[in-house]
Amino acid sequence: MNRHFQSDPTEVDACRTHITPALQSAGWETDPHSIAEQRTFTDGRIVVQGARATRRPGKRADYILCYTRDFPLAVVEAKAEDKPVASGLQQAKAYADILGLKFAYSSNGKEIIEFDALTGIERNISAFPTPDELWTRLCAGENLSIDAPQLLTPANHTTGKAPRYYQRIAINRAVQTIAQGQKRVLLTMATGTGKTVVAFQICWKLWSSKWNARNDPTRKPRILYLADRNFLVDDPKDKTFAVFGDARHKIENGVVVFSRELYFATYQSIAKDTKRPGLYREFAPDFFDLIIVDECHRGSAREDSNWREILEYFAPAYQLGMTATPLRAENRDTYLYFGNPIYQYSLRQGIEDGFLAPYRVHRIVTQWDAAGWRPNRDELDRYGREIPDEVFTTPDFERRVALRARTQAVARHLTDFLKKTDRYAKTIIFCVDQEHASEMRAALSNLSADLVRQYPDYVCRVTADEGDIGRGHMQRFQDVETRTPAVLTTSQLLTTGLDAPTCRNVALVRLVNSMTEFKQIIGRGTRVRDDYGKLWFNILDYTGTATRNFADPEFDGDPAFATQEEINEYGQVTNAVIETSGEQEDEADTETKYPPITGAETPVLMEPPPGEPRKYYFDGGHVEIATELVYELDADGKQLRVVKLTDYTAEKVRTLCASPDDLRARWADAPQRAEILKQLAERGIDFATVAAQAEQPDADPFDLLCHLAYNAPLLTRRQRADRVKKQQAAFFERYSPEAREILGELLEKYVSASELQFVLPDMLQIPPISYHGNVTEISDKFGGIDQLRGAVNQLQTLLYAA
């Protein structure tokens, strides 16, 4: 079934008359088994169109067969009785693969085809297997116990929100792998996809089923939840895991408690240091049954790490690592320790499914980032120290030399950006260090003094130095109902673990050379909140970090739209280019690219020589924004290239229609015109934006597309309307004077409002057309509703006759 359209009536008949009864007869509606019919399991990819965003339809299975509420076994694709039964099998197999299921079926009500992924066998069967039959086959193929108490233990549904399909896969695979005796387990799931929820349900299933009872049927497992930052421990403990009640305990302040079952701790609170041998040694090596390591990529598995020492001390325990980043050089120790992930859910897949937000990337370059900064001869810094006579580039800024003018220029540009979009849009700015974050906060605060007078906490710094005060700022920032703080400056603290669902802007004012860290930072904005209109977000890249990492072939979540802009010292945009997708570039494409940017594209961070001051502070100078680019990736998800929006539109039109005549013929037909408009919208093409970029606000949309794609002559909407009146007088003469007046008013609506479709009866309810009466009364002036519809369709056809 094509999931973008409603079910075929004959397919619905086959389901109602044959397939559903056959499934019921096989016992799939006998408790605890169930049938999930017409189940949509993704939210649908978000497509950004100018300033708007829409969703594509989500993926929907005709039937999902569940052995228990939380353990599906098979997917069934339904086809109409007159369709070959095999025509639905590919779709069934595809959905089964996405959903992590081993059995896929296609049926037209008369025949059934089964595909068994455990054996690779495809065969015709006379009836659907029973739940117990499928369960027995799965257990045999996966080496599972038939009773499998951990797997079949119900998930916790007290929140009222069932796990998403990929979370359910991760939960069940982790529980299955642990139940089968694998001691080290790894899950790789993109930031924002709910790793904490997955960890909670894994703990709940194992804890509720009294897994690893050690010959004591009343004993529940002891679990340790480890992370490297307090808020990564406190937030899960106090929120997601609250249902565990008094079974929870946080290890802190050097105090050891042995009477609980679910422990939370940071590595630092239990690791050894210069003052103590390590609090973890107060526990026996086999005290914990399971250790969950959140954000395990951040050094916890390095052989020379204190954290690795903790994990090795608790070697008898099962150990589950959770990370957001696939295997790369900087996190190979994690994969060597935990092994290959048993399940991966990537940023790209999250965006494709519509669970994660796409993003628009703005590459902003100051003059000093573009060409480097060199001090004048004998230039002294803020403290009277002579600054070395050399060219400093982006990797040096705020590390070896602090440039106040650059910080001010970035702050002005960012402030102007917020003024043009939304000044209260939640924004995180990643700076080089805590000092840089403080300078940026002060600059932004002064530039937004009108708001700071009303909201003193409009812009705040959140770094390790702020302690509880900073944590309070962070918590208010996370709250979707609070207006301020709207802007946070930080260096490292907020790179991970911050769940800010309405964060709309992420600004990078420091180089990020680690793909792992880059993905963590991007994850601050990938949460989606439809109810608050948060469907996409902006990345403002002042150092080339995003541009460089997007070009990395291992990056797995491409931007939806990106710009590069030149700005002057006042932060004003002086030039803008859009970068979009494409598999390769031609000569015309390369002409639009901004020249290579030295310094900003150099990913090397150099530490100053021993004995030299940490950094120099230069408060003078004058810097302008040199360029700002917009990077665009279309809905097809290809690689980036720089191209104007008008060129991008022309390219997409040519992929839909081979010639101007082809476009004209399809445009003149209302259903085909609607389909073209839909396909262009899905590719993020907004006519108002294209017309503005082409500086043709009065152009007819059809003519604008023909002009851009085929270099055809360009007509305005007024010219087309006047031509129809002049050349098609015979058409108007068929109707009464008042009917002609209504048709003329429809044309004026087309001229003034650029109505792409004359939609009935909507158009009849808009003044001045509505002054002629209600829909029935207006229809009577044409001889009836069919005659009215025919007249309107013919008018729109005549508009594009030549």
Side-chain angles (χ1 to χ4, degrees), residues 725-770:
K725 292 178 183 178
K726 182 177 180 180
Q727 297 181 359
Q728 303 294 336
F731 165 73
F732 292 96
E733 289 300 326
R734 299 179 196 169
Y735 302 102
S736 67
E738 189 171 4
R740 290 199 299 271
E741 184 180 350
I742 293 171
L743 293 174
E745 290 167 351
L746 281 172
L747 281 178
E748 288 304 311
K749 280 293 178 185
Y750 155 77
V751 171
S752 63
S754 185
E755 293 290 343
L756 300 183
Q757 299 261 61
F758 292 155
V759 179
L760 297 180
D762 298 358
M763 291 294 298
L764 306 182
Q765 298 167 354
I766 302 174
I769 302 171
S770 60

Side-chain angles (χ1 to χ4, degrees), residues 225-243:
Y225 188 100
L226 272 178
D228 68 340
R229 298 180 185 179
N230 270 306
F231 68 83
L232 292 178
V233 166
D234 294 339
D235 202 60
K237 171 183 171 291
D238 297 336
K239 296 178 182 177
T240 310
F241 286 79
V243 70

Side-chain angles (χ1 to χ4, degrees), residues 39 41 64 66 68-73 95-101 151 155 162-175 189 193-194 197-198 201-202 205 343:
R39 176 63 55 87
F41 55 88
I64 297 176
C66 301
T68 65
R69 175 181 178 179
D70 304 309
F71 204 94
L73 286 178
Y95 282 177
D97 183 60
I98 293 171
L99 295 169
L101 306 180
L151 269 181
R164 294 168 174 167
Y165 83 86
Y166 64 87
Q167 293 171 334
R168 176 192 50 75
I169 296 173
I171 294 163
N172 288 339
R173 286 194 184 172
V175 171
M189 299 174 65
T193 56
V197 171
V198 169
Q201 294 290 2
I202 291 170
K205 278 177 168 280
Y343 182 64

Side-chain angles (χ1 to χ4, degrees), residues 612-634:
E612 292 290 320
R614 178 173 175 269
K615 68 169 81 169
Y616 296 95
Y617 298 85
F618 181 68
D619 298 337
H622 177 78
V623 63
E624 298 182 359
I625 298 298
T627 188
E628 183 169 346
L629 288 182
V630 177
Y631 295 78
E632 173 90 24
L633 187 88
D634 76 359

Side-chain angles (χ1 to χ4, degrees), residues 4 43-47 54-58 352 635-636 682-683:
H4 290 76
D43 282 356
R45 184 186 178 112
I46 298 167
V47 178
T54 58
R55 281 192 182 274
R56 289 179 173 177
E352 177 62 32
D636 298 326
E682 288 181 350
R683 286 159 174 78

Side-chain angles (χ1 to χ4, degrees), residues 480-511:
V480 296
E481 298 294 341
T482 61
R483 201 170 196 184
T484 60
V487 181
L488 298 183
T489 65
T490 188
S491 56
Q492 297 285 342
L493 187 62
L494 302 183
T495 56
T496 186
L498 175 70
D499 184 1
T502 55
C503 178
R504 297 178 185 271
N505 302 304
V506 174
L508 295 165
V509 199
R510 70 173 172 91
L511 284 172

